[in-house]
Amino acid sequence: MLLKTLKGRHYLLLFLVPVLFLFLWIKAFISPVSLTPGQDQMPLYELLQQLTGGSIIALNIVGAAILILLSLLAVRLNERYVFIRQRTDLPAFVFALIATGTVSLYGMHPALLASFLLFFAIDSVFAVYHGSRTLAKSFEAGMFVGLATVTYLFSGIYLLWFWVALAFLGYFRPREILAGLVGFLLPVFVVLSWYFLNDNLTGLFQTISSLYNFEFSAEYSMFQKVYWGILAAFVLFASAFMANVVEEKKISSRKYFMILFVFFLTAIGNYFIFSSAGTELYFLLLIPTTFIVSHYFVLSRYSWVKEILFIVFVVASILVHFLG
């Protein structure tokens, strides 16, 4: 069976995932289009643009590398904390399908780089639960949220997610809160200082203002909307399954999944709170959505229904590239 094959420890899968990414994202290299046309961006992303010479193809190569790396890091995260309760390569495959499932996001975007940075914030938050270096890990989590913010403006709200995560972990204490805040402010302070010393602080504030006031609008094909609906249905179904088996989980696994779920809700909240935040928030949904969906396919009892659902998920994720 297809699902049983993909769930095992098949290192061939880790070779196939990059190939799958490149196949599904091929339009980003054949017909590259800027996802941020004519827009000034936050400093860290501007730096990336300068390093790549403003080449859209070069930026898309970086974007593809980030997605491939994130898919492998997703497997590593589960191996480290085992919150799915089974070592499996399936999250890498699920991530590849979901990450490429929005055809308007074929290419590099500040939100993608922010998603990469926020992954390490998640890793640091999970590490807090081990309790050996809570201050250092809280500082690291805040720092990665800060770096994500100077990359993609609307990542700043994840500082609130970090504090909520501390509450779930039982470490909502002044010193961890302060350590995370200091870590968050460090990259912000460095960026502000750089622009101040270069007498361009006004330019930075103008960029922030333009990004904040940008009116987002877009149109999508019917099949793209259908795919999002299918993916949303899977998330709801998988979340219901997770809630149903929550008592069977270790305390740590329950806490980790709640943190991921709040991360997911934070991205959704971003969309409704900020009118400038749009489809690019899809990149911020990748990690939590991957684990929520993978959890169901890995741990639910094997049945022909689950096999059919998995086939529907795979087929829809591939067809959207041709019909979306």
Side-chain angles (χ1 to χ4, degrees):
M1 300 291 184
L2 176 62
L3 183 53
K4 279 188 173 181
T5 300
L6 293 175
K7 277 166 59 176
R9 294 294 300 160
H10 294 275
Y11 290 98
L12 180 61
L13 180 61
L14 298 183
F15 167 76
L16 292 177
V17 165
V19 175
L20 179 63
F21 262 119
L22 295 177
F23 171 72
L24 295 178
W25 234 43
I26 192 67
K27 289 183 181 178
F29 307 107
I30 294 178
S31 305
V33 177
S34 174
L35 300 185
T36 57
Q39 291 176 281
D40 291 331
Q41 297 299 325
M42 293 297 283
L44 202 56
Y45 190 75
E46 287 279 3
L47 177 61
L48 177 62
Q49 288 181 314
Q50 291 176 15
L51 292 175
T52 56
S55 167
I56 298 176
I57 292 182
L59 283 170
N60 289 354
I61 290 173
V62 174
I66 287 175
L67 286 175
I68 292 170
L69 186 56
L70 274 175
S71 71
L72 303 181
L73 287 172
V75 174
R76 172 189 171 276
L77 192 70
N78 185 58
E79 287 180 341
R80 185 174 180 184
Y81 300 104
V82 200
F83 45 89
I84 293 183
R85 218 176 62 212
Q86 181 175 322
R87 296 181 184 277
T88 172
D89 290 335
L90 185 62
F93 182 77
V94 171
F95 181 91
L97 293 177
I98 295 175
T100 58
T102 296
V103 297
S104 61
L105 294 178
Y106 286 146
M108 187 62 180
H109 190 278
L112 174 53
L113 182 54
S115 180
F116 180 69
L117 294 166
L118 289 172
F119 172 87
F120 293 101
I122 294 173
D123 194 353
S124 297
V125 166
F126 284 4
V128 168
Y129 188 69
H130 290 270
S132 58
R133 300 171 58 219
T134 58
L135 290 181
K137 290 301 178 181
S138 295
F139 176 85
E140 288 178 13
M143 183 183 66
F144 282 118
V145 174
L147 287 170
T149 303
V150 297
T151 301
Y152 174 66
L153 179 63
F154 304 112
S155 300
I157 198 171
Y158 278 94
L159 182 63
L160 299 179
W161 160 81
F162 165 69
W163 289 335
V164 172
L166 286 180
F168 276 120
L169 295 174
Y171 286 94
F172 193 70
R173 303 180 302 198
R175 59 180 188 174
E176 279 80 16
I177 294 172
L178 184 59
L181 181 60
V182 171
F184 173 82
L185 291 175
L186 178 61
V188 175
F189 175 76
V190 170
V191 166
L192 289 175
S193 299
W194 175 263
Y195 275 79
F196 175 77
L197 292 173
N198 286 274
D199 198 26
N200 195 25
L201 202 55
T202 301
L204 174 61
F205 291 147
Q206 287 175 346
T207 296
I208 293 174
S209 177
S210 66
L211 290 171
Y212 182 80
N213 294 309
F214 174 76
E215 288 296 327
F216 171 79
S217 63
E219 294 184 3
Y220 305 98
S221 71
M222 179 58 69
F223 194 80
Q224 178 68 80
K225 294 176 182 178
V226 168
Y227 175 75
W228 286 337
I230 291 173
L231 189 57
F234 270 106
V235 170
L236 289 173
F237 189 73
S239 298
F241 169 78
M242 189 185 303
N244 191 48
V245 301
V246 68
E247 295 302 326
E248 302 174 12
K249 293 184 168 297
K250 295 189 302 182
I251 294 176
S252 60
S253 295
R254 294 202 295 267
K255 291 178 182 291
Y256 293 150
F257 269 115
M258 284 304 301
I259 289 169
L260 286 170
F261 193 67
V262 173
F263 190 100
F264 177 90
L265 293 179
T266 302
I268 299 296
N270 247 335
Y271 183 80
F272 291 102
I273 294 172
F274 302 108
S275 60
S276 302
T279 317
E280 75 278 1
L281 290 172
Y282 187 83
F283 284 131
L284 301 185
L285 293 170
L286 295 180
I287 295 297
T289 302
T290 293
F291 285 120
I292 291 170
V293 173
S294 297
H295 175 266
Y296 169 74
F297 285 128
V298 171
L299 293 184
S300 63
R301 293 181 179 179
Y302 181 78
S303 68
W304 63 270
V305 174
K306 186 173 75 169
E307 190 76 19
I308 290 177
L309 287 175
F310 186 73
I311 292 173
V312 168
F313 168 68
V314 173
V315 171
S317 298
I318 293 176
L319 281 181
V320 70
H321 297 275
F322 301 97
L323 302 178

